[in-house]
Every structure is written in structure tokens, then in C-alpha cells.
């Protein structure tokens, strides 16, 4: 058995992990977009050329150089190089959850490769594609055949919109717990026997996976935490590992840094803390507009603000994109959108596309639409779910102060910091008071975090649960601080283990067992 990590071991996101059996079959764990690496070459107005297929991604080493993995038509301009690359035999791709840094490049993969994901993750991926820009690079669940168009001298790729293929999504039999015992059903694909477990993360439908191949037991966490509403699910996964044993644990370490050892005893905020802090803000802004800014597709946070709206006598106003996703999730038993206290904001920004028509023509929602102008006439009646990208809509109303609750992650990159400065300009223009976001005398924004909790496990929780699972080999992933992670584990874990962190000259981590 061999594990090769092409991406995601020394960076946050972009996971592309290949587990290869002795017979040469590969089980792929996530196939995400590495935003940090991508931003070294591209930005909003400088993007990969759709007419070149995967040429630009291949040439810039943004995707693994492998044969037998990608959609044939997209390789038109690099076919000679691909034919010389290492050939693999992928039996499946496991998508741990619906964040682009974990699924963002599955659009490049052969459409016949099975995609293992929970139903909720599948629907989040569908919502991304349906509401996105409709390019080759966002064909996550429906794939177009490739056609060609001729320029004066050059042939370019384009989508054959009349010929589409649905990807092979497979819903796993998710493990569950009853009577203090974790029950599970094994499934098999080629040389791999696997089980999928729901876990807690900042997006619904997140899962971890455990599998056996060539007599080796491997577990992959994806992104996890232990302080959300679904914390018990992550606990059950590690309880299973403790009961059944694990040889290799691939475990995230997003929040690990050089100060982790000194901050192990820091208290951890929970979603209920966010709720109570936000209620105080709403109550102190009676009669005024309240905006809640939280991560796209963070349904758990949306539910928190829905509860806040009910308890403070307001209605929760969501965007059309929110409504589209919530409508899809109804079939998964997540029925929030039918709540009477939810309204849907129509916007000049939404184009008249198939996904908007699906919401507009749904009789269940015909009496639920409001405009931002209507909200402006009685702002005390609403909590508005807006973010930086929605700020232009507020130009349609007169705002007499109010609150902007920043309930999302802080800026990590230079470009994100630029967006934060722009957001603060909008907030100031509308005479809103920001909460969770401040500007000091040096004009540098700071994130005060009373209104947001991380989607990732704390260093203390990671240590505790690695100790519970007791893997023989630990491979840290999804972290920018591999050495700090290594030092933390070596100083605090009380059993014998090995940490695998070394990469080859091309930056690929390879582990044989």
C-alpha cells in the first residue's frame, strides 16, 4: 500500500491524496482547489483560459501530472505530455465535504470515475455549479462534451451544450451510533473496503472515511471539529478508530501554529456562544437594520441566525442563492426554507437563469419574496443575510444606522484583506456599526471573533482524539505549520508513533507501508 499526497499536506486546502493498492488501484481522497497556489498566477481578472482546457493548469503544475485521470477532451493541448505521464487506475474519489478547497477540481476528472459523497455534499456541489459561471472549470456534477471552434489560425475548446453527462455520484452508507455502539456497513470498490462517517464541520454533510487495503487500516478525517452541533458525530468516528484500530491516520491541522503548545488551555467558543453574543447586538439595535455576514453554505450558522430572528421578533431574509441551496436540501431532511419566518430577497444582481426560475416559479415560495426596498421601509422587522458581495443592493435604500455582524472567518491573504478594507468602506458609507470587525489607529482591520467559531478542531481536541485512536503512523494534512504540528505531537502524545512529513524534490509526500 502506498499513499501519495500531491497537494494539501503543507497548505490549508487543495487536498489531493492518492492511496494506491499493491495491484495499482488508486482511491483518491478529495480533489480540491489550492487557492494559495492558484493565486500565485491568477486573480479576478486574470484567469485560466477556458478555450485551452487544462493546458494552463498542467503547465503551471496546479494539477498532478498523471495519465488516466482527466477528461480526455480537456487535455487536447497537452495530450502528448499527458501520454508520457505516470498512468493511474482510479477506482473512486471520496469528497469529504462541500468546500471548494476539497472538491473544486473534480470538474477536471473523467466523468465515469465514481464520486463518493453524502447526499448533502452532492447537493451543495450541484448548487455551486448551477449558480456559478457555467465554465468547463465548474462542471462538478453535470459534464458537457467538448466541441471546437475555429479562429483565424487557432482551434479553441468550447462546451457542446446539447450533449451532457451526469457524473457517477454514489451515496455512502453513513455510519451511525445507537445504544452506545457505533454501527457501520462496509462497502467495497476494487481492492478497497471502506466505511464513511458523518462528522462535524462548518458545512453540513461533512464526512470522514476509514478503509482497509492490503491488510492496512487507513483513516482520513477531511476537515473536522468537536465544538459544533454535530460534535458527537466526530466523537463517534474516533470511538470507532479506537475500537477497530488504525495504522495510518491522515488528520487535519488547520489551527496548528507555532503558539499552539502555549495555548492548549484556551477556552473554545461554541455556536451557542455566537447566538447569545449576536442576540445582544440585535436587541441593542431595535428599530434598525441588522445584517448577518457568515460563510456561504454555512447552514448551521444560518440556523443560528434564524433562531435569533425568531427570538427577537424579526424575520430572516436570505438571498436567492441561499434559497436555491435550502430548496435542494429539503430532500435530505434539512427543511429550513419552509419556515414561515424565512423570506427570500429578490435582487437586481441575479440573472434570469434556470436556477432562479426554479425558485421564482415554486408555488411554495410565491408569498415569501421581498425586495431590499421593502426591507428598507421596515428594517426593524428583518435580519438580512448579506455579505461583502451583496453590498451594492443596499444602495436601493436609505439606512439610518444599524449593525453589521461579521460572523465569518478572518482574512488570511493579502487579497482578502483588500476585500475587508472595501467591506469597511461600505459599512461606513451606510453608517452601520461593525461587530466582530474593528479598525485600529493604524487603519489595519482586526477580527475580534465573538461572533464566529472555527470550522476546524482546536489543537487540544486534535491531541485528545489522536491519543484515543492511537494510530501507528500520523500524516498531518491541511496545515501550514507541519513542523509545529510535529513538535506538538512529539511533546504531548504518550505512546509510540511515527509522524510522516517529508516530501520529495517536487513537493510530493510519498509513504509506503
Amino acid at each position: 500500500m502506498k499513499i501519495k499526497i500531491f497537494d494539501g499536506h503543507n497548505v490549508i486546502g487543495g487536498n489531493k491524496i492518492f492511496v494506491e493498492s499493491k495491484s495499482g488501484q488508486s482511491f483518491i481522497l478529495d480533489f480540491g482547489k489550492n487557492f494559495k497556489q492558484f493565486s500565485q498566477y491568477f486573480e479576478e481578472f486574470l484567469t485560466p483560459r477556458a478555450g485551452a482546457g487544462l493546458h494552463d493548469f498542467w503547465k503551471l503544475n496546479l494539477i498532478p501530472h498523471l495519465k488516466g485521470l482527466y477528461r480526455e477532451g480537456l487535455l487536447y493541448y497537452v495530450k502528448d505530455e499527458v501520454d508520457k505521464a505516470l498512468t493511474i487506475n482510479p477506482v473512486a474519489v471520496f469528497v469529504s465535504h462541500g468546500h471548494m478547497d476539497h472538491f473544486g477540481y473534480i470538474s477536471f476528472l473523467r466523468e465515469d470515475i465514481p464520486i463518493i459523497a453524502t447526499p448533502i455534499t452532492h447537493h451543495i456541489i450541484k448548487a455551486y455549479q448551477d449558480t456559478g459561471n457555467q465554465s468547463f472549470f465548474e462542471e462538478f456534477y453535470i459534464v458537457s462534451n467538448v466541441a471546437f471552434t475555429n479562429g483565424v489560425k487557432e482551434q479553441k475548446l468550447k462546451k457542446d451544450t446539447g450533449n451532457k453527462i451526469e457524473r457517477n455520484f454514489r451515496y455512502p452508507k453513513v455510519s451511525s451510533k445507537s445504544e452506545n455502539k457505533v454501527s457501520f456497513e462496509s462497502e467495497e470498490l476494487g481492492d478497497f473496503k471502506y466505511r464513511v462517517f458523518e462528522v462535524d464541520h462548518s458545512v453540513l454533510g461533512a464526512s470522514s472515511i476509514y478503509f482497509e487495503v492490503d491488510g492496512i487500516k487507513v483513516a482520513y478525517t477531511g476537515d473536522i471539529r468537536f465544538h459544533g452541533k454535530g460534535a458527537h458525530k466526530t466523537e463517534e468516528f474516533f470511538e470507532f478508530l479506537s475500537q477497530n484500530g488504525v495504522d495510518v491516520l491522515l488528520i487535519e491541522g488547520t489551527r496548528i501554529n507555532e503558539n499552539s503548545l502555549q495555548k492548549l488551555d484556551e477556552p473554545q467558543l461554541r455556536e451557542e456562544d455566537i447566538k447569545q453574543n449576536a442576540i445582544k447586538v440585535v436587541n441593542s439595535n431595535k428599530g434598525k437594520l441588522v445584517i448577518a455576514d457568515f460563510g456561504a453554505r454555512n447552514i448551521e450558522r444560518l440556523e443560528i441566525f434564524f433562531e435569533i430572528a425568531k427570538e427577537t421578533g424579526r424575520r430572516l431574509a436570505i438571498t436567492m442563492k441561499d434559497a436555491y441551496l435550502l430548496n435542494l436540501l429539503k430532500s435530505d431532511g434539512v427543511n429550513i426554507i419552509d419556515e414561515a419566518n424565512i423570506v427570500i430577497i429578490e435582487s437586481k444582481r441575479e440573472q434570469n437563469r434556470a436556477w432562479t426560475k426554479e425558485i421564482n416559479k415554486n408555488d411554495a415560495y410565491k408569498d415569501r419574496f421581498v425586495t431590499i426596498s421593502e426591507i428598507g421601509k421596515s428594517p426593524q422587522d428583518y435580519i438580512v443575510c448579506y455579505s461583502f458581495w451583496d453590498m451594492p443592493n443596499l444602495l436601493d435604500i436609505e439606512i439610518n444606522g444599524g449593525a453589521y455582524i461579521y460572523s465569518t472567518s478572518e482574512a488570511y491573504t493579502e487579497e482578502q484583506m483588500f476585500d475587508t478594507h472595501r467591506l469597511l468602506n461600505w459599512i461606513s458609507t451606510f453608517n452601520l456599526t461593525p461587530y466582530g470587525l474593528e479598525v485600529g489607529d493604524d487603519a489595519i482591520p482586526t477580527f475580534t471573533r465573538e461572533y464566529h467559531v472555527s470550522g476546524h478542531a482546536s489543537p487540544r481536541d486534535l491531541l485528545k482524539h489522536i491519543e484515543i485512536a492511537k494510530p501507528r503512523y500520523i500524516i498531518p494534512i491541511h496545515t501550514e505549520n507541519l513542523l509545529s504540528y510535529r513538535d506538538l505531537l512529539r511533546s504531548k502524545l504518550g505512546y509510540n508513533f511515527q509522524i510522516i512529513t517529508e516530501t520529495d524534490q517536487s513537493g510530493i509526500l510519498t509513504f509506503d507501508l
Side-chain angles (χ1 to χ4, degrees):
M1 188 276 300
K2 178 183 294 183
I3 295 174
K4 296 189 77 170
I5 304 181
F6 288 90
D7 203 354
H9 53 294
N10 57 357
V11 68
I12 294 174
N15 291 20
K16 299 176 190 70
I17 301 167
F18 291 62
V19 181
E20 185 178 297
S21 68
K22 290 179 180 178
S23 71
Q25 295 181 346
S26 290
F27 201 111
I28 303 170
L29 308 175
D30 283 329
F31 206 75
K33 179 177 180 177
N34 182 332
F35 284 94
K36 184 175 182 179
Q37 186 182 24
F38 184 87
S39 67
Q40 292 174 1
Y41 304 101
F42 300 112
E43 53 96 47
E44 183 179 3
F45 299 107
L46 175 61
T47 60
R49 298 167 295 171
L54 293 187
H55 175 275
D56 298 355
F57 292 89
W58 183 276
K59 288 291 188 178
L60 293 171
N61 294 310
L62 297 176
I63 54 176
H65 285 195
L66 297 169
K67 182 181 179 182
L69 185 61
Y70 303 110
R71 294 163 58 185
E72 192 69 23
L74 298 185
L75 297 174
Y76 179 80
Y77 287 106
V78 286
K79 187 167 180 16
D80 290 344
E81 292 183 40
V82 175
D83 286 342
K84 299 174 185 176
L86 176 69
T87 300
I88 67 162
N89 178 20
V91 297
V93 177
F94 168 69
V95 175
S96 61
H97 62 281
H99 281 155
M100 280 280 283
D101 61 331
H102 289 258
F103 77 82
Y105 284 168
I106 65 170
S107 51
F108 304 161
L109 302 179
R110 285 177 14 217
E111 55 269 28
D112 61 313
I113 300 174
I115 306 290
I116 299 169
T118 63
I120 289 177
T121 297
H122 182 196
H123 283 136
I124 291 173
I125 290 172
K126 172 177 165 57
Y128 259 108
Q129 179 170 342
D130 290 347
T131 63
N133 64 21
Q134 309 298 297
S135 75
F136 279 131
F137 307 144
E138 292 189 3
E139 293 195 319
F140 304 121
Y141 84 101
I142 294 281
V143 178
S144 302
N145 278 350
V146 174
F148 296 90
T149 181
N150 290 319
V152 176
K153 288 188 175 182
E154 187 149 37
Q155 199 171 39
K156 293 173 282 187
L157 306 183
K158 68 174 185 177
K159 294 197 323 183
D160 179 0
T161 56
N163 196 349
K164 297 184 177 182
I165 303 168
E166 191 162 352
R167 286 193 183 276
N168 181 14
F169 272 86
R170 295 190 182 185
Y171 296 160
K173 299 174 182 177
V174 176
S175 301
S176 60
K177 181 176 180 179
S178 61
E179 296 181 356
N180 297 319
K181 183 178 181 181
V182 178
S183 61
F184 57 86
E185 291 186 65
S186 296
E187 299 179 77
E188 293 190 33
L189 271 174
D191 297 334
F192 300 85
K193 181 184 290 186
Y194 66 93
R195 307 169 181 91
V196 173
F197 296 77
E198 287 187 356
V199 292
D200 186 38
H201 186 39
S202 56
V203 63
L204 296 183
S207 56
S208 300
I209 192 168
Y210 173 91
F211 52 89
E212 299 177 45
V213 55
D214 300 333
I216 305 298
K217 299 176 179 179
V218 180
Y220 170 64
T221 64
D223 290 355
I224 54 171
R225 65 178 182 178
F226 299 85
H227 52 268
K229 288 185 177 179
H232 63 282
K233 297 176 182 178
T234 320
E235 298 281 0
E236 289 163 12
F237 175 59
F238 278 86
E239 182 181 331
F240 173 87
L241 298 183
S242 175
Q243 293 172 355
N244 294 271
V246 57
D247 296 304
V248 184
L249 177 63
L250 296 131
I251 184 167
E252 72 124 303
T254 309
R255 293 172 61 185
I256 299 291
N257 57 48
E258 63 275 9
N259 298 317
S260 293
L261 187 60
Q262 291 75 36
K263 296 184 177 181
L264 286 178
D265 294 328
E266 281 190 349
Q268 170 66 61
L269 280 177
R270 296 180 178 272
E271 293 291 340
E272 182 60 28
D273 300 315
I274 302 304
K275 177 181 176 181
Q276 296 307 318
N277 292 339
I279 283 178
K280 293 176 183 177
V281 174
V282 177
N283 284 335
S284 67
N285 283 272
K286 293 184 184 297
K288 296 181 180 180
L289 180 68
V290 173
I291 294 176
D293 178 351
F294 50 87
R297 291 155 291 276
N298 189 341
I299 303 303
E300 185 174 0
R301 192 65 52 78
L302 188 150
E303 287 182 294
I304 289 291
F305 279 100
F306 171 65
E307 294 170 6
I308 293 170
K310 286 199 300 183
E311 294 181 24
T312 57
R314 297 182 182 232
R315 304 181 78 185
L316 190 70
I318 63 174
T319 66
M320 287 283 284
K321 285 187 177 182
D322 291 332
Y324 183 69
L325 175 57
L326 290 177
N327 186 58
L328 291 176
L329 295 182
K330 284 172 64 174
S331 63
D332 303 317
V334 182
N335 191 1
I336 304 169
I337 194 170
D338 284 340
E339 295 281 354
N341 221 42
I342 297 274
V343 296
I344 304 167
I345 308 171
E346 285 190 286
S347 165
K348 295 181 178 70
R349 183 180 289 270
E350 271 87 32
Q351 299 175 3
N352 192 26
R353 286 171 40 192
W355 71 272
T356 59
K357 293 177 182 177
E358 189 172 330
I359 298 298
N360 289 334
K361 294 182 178 180
N362 192 319
D363 289 339
Y365 312 134
K366 64 181 180 181
D367 298 324
R368 309 277 294 285
F369 287 97
V370 297
T371 65
I372 195 66
S373 297
E374 290 175 305
I375 291 174
K377 294 174 183 176
S378 55
Q380 71 279 359
D381 293 334
Y382 300 93
I383 294 177
V384 177
C385 297
Y386 267 2
S387 69
F388 168 60
W389 311 103
D390 302 298
M391 289 297 96
N393 294 332
L394 296 180
L395 293 170
D396 292 346
I397 62 177
E398 295 293 329
I399 300 176
N400 184 26
Y404 193 101
I405 304 175
Y406 190 83
S407 186
T408 189
S409 59
E410 62 187 84
Y412 290 103
T413 67
E414 185 178 27
E415 183 58 35
Q416 287 173 338
M417 189 60 77
F418 288 150
D419 285 343
T420 302
H421 281 286
R422 296 182 186 111
L423 172 61
L424 285 164
N425 289 338
W426 283 102
I427 291 172
S428 176
T429 296
F430 295 125
N431 195 29
L432 298 171
T433 301
Y435 294 85
L437 185 59
E438 297 177 351
V439 181
D441 295 336
D442 56 3
I444 298 175
T446 57
F447 303 87
T448 58
R449 302 180 181 179
E450 305 100 320
Y451 308 96
H452 177 65
V453 295
S454 174
H456 301 274
S458 68
R460 180 175 57 191
D461 282 336
L462 290 172
L463 282 170
K464 173 184 174 182
H465 289 87
I466 293 173
E467 188 80 58
I468 288 172
K470 287 187 169 56
R472 288 197 293 147
Y473 300 93
I474 301 169
I475 304 181
I477 54 171
H478 209 275
T479 179
E480 293 182 336
N481 296 283
L482 279 174
L483 297 183
S484 295
Y485 206 161
R486 181 197 63 190
D487 295 343
L488 180 67
L489 297 182
R490 286 177 175 172
S491 65
K492 288 295 181 179
L493 290 183
Y495 75 98
N496 292 324
F497 60 92
Q498 291 188 43
I499 304 173
I500 312 300
T501 59
E502 297 300 319
T503 63
D504 61 23
Q505 291 182 342
S506 62
I508 299 170
L509 188 153
T510 301
F511 175 65
D512 291 275
L513 189 61

